Amino acid sequence: MKIAMAQIPIISANCMKNFETMKQQIDFAIQKKMNLIIFPEMSVPGYFIGDTWEQSSFLKECEYFNQQISICSSHIDIIFGSIGIDWVKKNEDGRVRKYNSVYYASKGKFIINKKTNYPFWIKSLMPNYREFDDSRYFYDLRKLSQELSCYPKDLYEPIEIKFKNKKLQIGITVCEDGWSQDYTFNPFQQFSENFKHDFFVNLSSSPFTKGKKEKRETLFSSISKKIKTPIFYVNAVGVQNVGKTVYGFDGSSAFYSKKGETKRLGGFFNENLVTGEFHFDSQDFLCSNEDSKETDKSLKNIEEMQIAIEYIIKNCMQQWQIKKVVIGASGGIDSALSAVLFARVLGSENVFLINMPSKFNSELTKKAAYILAENLNCPYTSVSIESSIEITKQQLINLKFKNSSVIPNLTGLVLENIQARDRGGRILSAISATLGAVFSCNANKVELTVGYSTLYGDQAGFLCPLADLWKHDVYDLAQHYNENVYQKEIIPKETLEVVPSAELSENHNVLENKGDPIQYHYHDYLFRSWVEHWDRKTPEDCLQAYFDGTLDKLIGCESGLSLRLFPSAKSFIEDLERWWLCYRGMGAFKRVQAPPIVAVTRRAFGFDHREHIGNPLFTSSYINLKNKILNNNV
């Protein structure tokens, strides 16, 4: 049987464009004399589309294009993911019943699932973690079985078709159905116990996160080996978002043999139509297009990260119709990496670098910003903020309120924030407007975690490309571009070697090795334990580990580092509480106002890191442990 796997880009809530993409692939597969073409999950409507699912007119649009795809099945069978709708029944929110579904179109019509009497197969498991919120919109097979007083497996049957006088039974699963380790129902196992399948298909819209591709391959390889049945895994590419958080879909479609062997076929972040022939005797799939054979074997984590971030930015620019970007180039590592990313995506001529020095900026960093622009061949200019800051300072000093005797308190911190806002809220936004451009936010994940950025200043912008990268990730990626991508010094050595600093006061003098108050080689890992660990750590966990001498192992930093930085429990506690209060306090207040974030880890800020704004608290256990340690003068 000649089978095509269509690894296509899917655009959120754009049924017409998605249908056009699918139609092109269908026509190409017909030219290649394929018998069956398989598309990813939610190919027609897109997956992350928010409350657009509540619009009846959009649901009717989906149904219309579902039918258009069925018309295309006169000369080829088509498996595709889309929304399945029961206009008579209701979801638990009282809205029309919707299912995340798989359709099988053949000879111009849909095959009916006799167990449910629907013209589609229903996704069994609904993910409700991280960026997923499926049960808000969809009814699943488990809920339907409960409603009908039966088991989920009672509502399943394979798709049965005739092919060359042979009866085939094709198993149907959707994305999360394979990730069933923590569910009480295992679709692959349960379906395999009741039926003999020639092969399974798993239609996915699975976003990229660091390390997920390898975990996914291990998972599906183990499933195919356990059920002794081949699996065609077809994943989407493209970019979709959940508002605050932007995700890239990496494709990485593959064939898993009944022995658990993996054939990587779709490529990493590549639109691709994989064609080949499935042999029933050997139950093996032989790929016919050379560019899809066994791809991406040697990609390192840093290479995956580079490809993913560039791909996501590029697709965002295309979807949002943005052609020019302005970047505040400070001479530091974050703005330098942002400049490289946007220059590679948009072309250097469309990335405008603006250095905005005050009296606190060193010649070293000003020179580094200039060298970066020269190396990238980006438009560059320098706009001093010294005079405008002095004007603002004098205005505040002379400020008086009618009906109040309150006098403004012009502290050092206020002056630092005035500089940051003058750069972002005034200069960058104004220059962007004159160029028909937007400006980026260069904040990294460490800064967003504890709010070490200025609202309406350096935290302003249209997109945060680095906001899911810890500081060490930023340095690693910068080095990767110099050493492996460009193979020459693009990001200047001055930028790579200078101490990270906001350069907003004399206390930030980089020539005296004065920089940010964050010890990145330690705080990267401490903050990550609060944000990304599956069992997320709290001050209580960290203080107990510090007392036990196991903190470095707990958070994953260099062995012995925490004791070198904090030789006394008092100094450790002061640092721990300072940053925890920032993380759960002002940091949270700032994060909800931050620009959209490019996601590359398993816990990106935004929809993946749901939080409330409130007063940060410490547990009673933490307080008791703290008092015990301090009272004993440990």
Side-chain angles (χ1 to χ4, degrees):
M1 187 178 197
K2 294 183 177 180
I3 298 176
M5 303 163 66
Q7 185 168 288
I8 62 169
I10 299 171
I11 301 176
S12 299
N14 194 332
C15 298
M16 181 180 295
K17 181 62 178 177
N18 292 332
F19 169 73
E20 290 172 355
T21 301
M22 296 173 73
K23 181 69 165 59
Q24 290 174 357
Q25 298 289 5
I26 290 168
D27 291 342
F28 188 70
I30 291 173
Q31 293 176 18
K32 292 287 187 179
K33 302 186 184 305
M34 296 291 108
N35 305 116
L36 170 66
I37 184 170
I38 309 169
F39 289 97
E41 176 186 18
M42 287 294 185
S43 297
V44 174
Y47 191 20
F48 294 151
I49 65 174
D51 287 349
T52 304
W53 291 119
E54 297 175 358
Q55 301 171 359
S56 294
S57 60
F58 176 74
L59 299 181
K60 292 174 183 177
E61 174 91 340
C62 295
E63 285 193 324
Y64 170 77
F65 282 104
N66 289 348
Q67 289 298 326
Q68 294 303 302
I69 294 172
S70 73
I71 294 172
C72 297
S73 68
S74 299
H75 302 290
I76 188 172
D77 286 6
I78 306 170
I79 298 177
F80 69 97
S82 188
I83 187 73
I85 306 165
D86 187 333
W87 293 98
V88 176
K89 293 184 177 181
K90 300 291 184 182
N91 272 356
E92 291 176 323
D93 62 355
R95 292 185 171 87
V96 64
R97 177 73 59 85
K98 298 175 285 292
Y99 300 101
N100 185 330
S101 303
V102 176
Y103 289 83
Y104 193 107
S106 180
K107 298 179 176 59
K109 61 182 181 180
F110 292 126
I111 292 179
I112 303 297
N113 181 343
K114 295 186 291 293
K115 294 293 185 70
T116 61
N117 204 33
Y118 286 134
F120 48 75
W121 273 249
I122 300 169
K123 187 174 182 178
S124 299
L125 305 179
M126 294 284 112
N128 287 290
Y129 51 83
R130 299 193 59 239
E131 68 270 24
F132 303 108
D133 199 11
D134 286 29
S135 62
R136 178 180 175 91
Y137 308 109
F138 310 124
Y139 223 69
D140 60 41
L141 196 68
R142 293 187 301 168
K143 286 184 179 178
L144 182 59
S145 67
Q146 186 178 26
E147 179 180 273
L148 299 176
S149 301
C150 64
Y151 294 106
K153 64 181 181 181
D154 298 330
L155 299 178
Y156 170 83
E157 64 178 9
I159 294 175
E160 188 172 284
I161 61 171
K162 286 186 178 180
F163 177 74
K164 294 183 178 180
N165 299 319
K166 177 181 174 64
K167 281 189 177 182
L168 301 183
Q169 297 207 104
I170 301 174
I172 300 294
T173 58
V174 187
C175 202
E176 187 75 1
D177 294 346
W179 303 80
S180 59
Q181 310 94 309
D182 297 317
Y183 293 88
T184 57
F185 178 63
N186 185 323
F188 273 105
Q189 181 178 327
Q190 294 287 309
F191 297 164
S192 297
E193 288 176 357
N194 287 3
F195 297 95
K196 173 67 175 176
H197 300 85
D198 290 280
F199 58 83
F200 269 94
V201 297
N202 182 272
L203 279 57
S204 285
S205 280
S206 180
F208 166 81
T209 52
K210 189 167 57 175
K212 186 176 184 180
K213 186 163 74 78
E214 290 74 19
K215 184 176 182 180
R216 183 195 294 145
E217 289 179 354
T218 300
L219 174 69
F220 279 92
S221 175
S222 66
I223 293 172
S224 64
K225 185 176 182 180
K226 186 173 183 178
I227 63 175
K228 296 181 173 60
T229 307
I231 301 172
F232 287 89
Y233 174 85
V234 184
N235 190 26
V237 291
V239 166
Q240 301 181 45
N241 69 77
V242 286
K244 177 72 76 175
T245 320
V246 185
Y247 291 92
F249 294 77
D250 62 292
S252 304
S253 300
F255 174 80
Y256 299 90
S257 76
K258 66 178 181 179
K259 296 180 181 180
E261 299 162 333
T262 302
K263 289 187 177 182
R264 300 171 176 173
L265 300 172
F268 186 63
F269 282 107
N270 290 324
E271 180 179 358
N272 206 344
L273 183 71
V274 179
T275 59
E277 189 163 358
F278 180 73
H279 294 265
F280 294 99
D281 292 338
S282 63
Q283 291 192 299
D284 195 14
F285 180 73
L286 300 181
C287 182
S288 58
N289 45 330
E290 289 295 328
D291 60 341
S292 295
K293 290 184 177 180
E294 292 293 316
T295 60
D296 305 329
K297 280 188 172 181
S298 59
L299 284 180
K300 300 176 182 178
N301 285 339
I302 195 69
E303 293 173 309
E304 286 191 357
M305 191 181 297
Q306 174 217 332
I307 293 169
I309 296 174
E310 287 185 14
Y311 181 91
I312 293 170
I313 293 174
K314 181 178 181 178
N315 277 261
C316 285
M317 300 299 96
Q318 291 173 346
Q319 289 186 26
W320 301 342
Q321 298 182 354
I322 294 171
K323 297 180 180 179
K324 297 177 183 177
V325 170
V326 174
I327 295 176
S330 66
I333 190 69
D334 297 318
S335 60
L337 182 57
S338 289
V340 168
L341 290 168
F342 282 107
R344 287 179 59 80
V345 168
L346 293 176
S348 298
E349 70 277 9
N350 296 310
V351 179
F352 295 77
L353 304 187
I354 318 295
N355 186 243
M356 297 165 285
S358 73
K359 63 183 180 181
F360 301 117
N361 291 91
S362 67
E363 290 300 319
L364 184 150
T365 53
K366 286 188 286 186
K367 178 183 176 183
Y370 176 80
I371 294 173
L372 173 71
E374 289 294 293
N375 290 348
L376 287 172
N377 198 29
C378 289
Y380 172 85
T381 192
S382 178
V383 180
S384 173
I385 65 170
E386 194 59 45
S387 60
S388 58
I389 295 303
E390 187 60 32
I391 291 172
T392 303
K393 180 179 176 181
Q394 292 304 317
Q395 287 175 325
L396 292 175
I397 290 173
N398 298 322
L399 186 66
K400 294 181 180 180
F401 291 100
K402 185 178 180 180
N403 301 326
S404 176
S405 59
V406 172
I407 299 174
N409 185 15
L410 194 58
T411 65
L413 180 59
V414 170
L415 283 171
E416 291 179 15
N417 288 329
I418 288 172
Q419 295 172 66
R421 292 192 180 100
D422 196 58
R423 288 175 172 133
R426 187 178 71 88
I427 295 176
L428 291 182
S429 60
I431 292 176
S432 298
T434 64
L435 297 174
V438 295
F439 67 99
S440 73
C441 172
N442 302 324
N444 59 55
K445 196 165 189 174
V446 190
E447 293 166 339
L448 282 187
T449 298
V450 292
Y452 189 64
S453 54
T454 303
L455 271 178
Y456 324 122
D458 54 334
Q459 192 172 292
F462 85 106
L463 182 70
C464 288
L466 311 183
D468 206 18
L469 300 179
W470 301 104
K471 196 72 168 184
H472 66 270
D473 293 323
V474 173
Y475 277 102
D476 288 347
L477 197 52
Q479 292 280 13
H480 169 68
Y481 275 111
N482 277 2
E483 295 173 6
N484 303 313
V485 179
Y486 291 100
Q487 296 183 341
K488 61 181 180 179
E489 186 180 288
I490 292 294
I491 296 177
K493 64 178 181 180
E494 292 89 345
T495 294
L496 292 166
E497 294 174 357
V498 70
V499 60
S501 175
E503 290 193 293
L504 295 171
S505 73
E506 286 295 344
N507 293 327
H508 300 157
N509 191 326
V510 297
L511 299 180
E512 297 177 2
N513 207 36
K514 296 176 181 178
D516 296 340
I518 301 171
Q519 302 289 327
Y520 291 104
H521 59 310
Y522 165 74
H523 288 114
D524 265 18
Y525 299 93
L526 177 69
F527 299 166
R528 188 174 68 176
S529 75
W530 298 348
V531 177
E532 289 185 9
H533 283 198
W534 187 256
D535 179 17
R536 291 170 63 188
K537 304 304 181 288
T538 66
E540 179 183 340
D541 302 311
C542 297
L543 182 57
Q544 184 65 61
Y546 176 85
F547 181 70
D548 295 338
T550 59
L551 177 67
D552 300 336
K553 183 178 180 180
L554 179 75
I555 65 176
C557 72
E558 176 193 343
S559 178
L561 178 59
S562 60
L563 284 178
R564 292 201 302 273
L565 291 175
F566 311 107
S568 70
K570 183 176 183 294
S571 62
F572 172 77
I573 290 171
E574 288 174 351
D575 180 83
L576 181 70
E577 293 188 355
R578 172 188 181 179
W579 296 118
W580 179 261
L581 291 172
C582 289
Y583 166 53
R584 297 300 304 139
M586 187 56 71
F589 183 82
K590 291 180 177 181
R591 280 190 295 274
V592 299
Q593 301 182 69
I597 288 165
V598 172
V600 292
T601 74
R602 290 183 56 81
R603 183 65 64 146
F605 286 123
F607 201 75
D608 188 13
H609 181 269
R610 305 184 199 187
E611 56 187 333
H612 73 285
I613 300 172
N615 292 324
L617 301 172
F618 295 95
T619 65
S620 56
S621 296
Y622 170 82
I623 295 171
N624 290 336
L625 178 60
K626 169 187 171 181
N627 291 335
K628 177 183 176 182
I629 293 173
L630 293 180
N631 289 337
N632 290 333
N633 296 317
V634 177

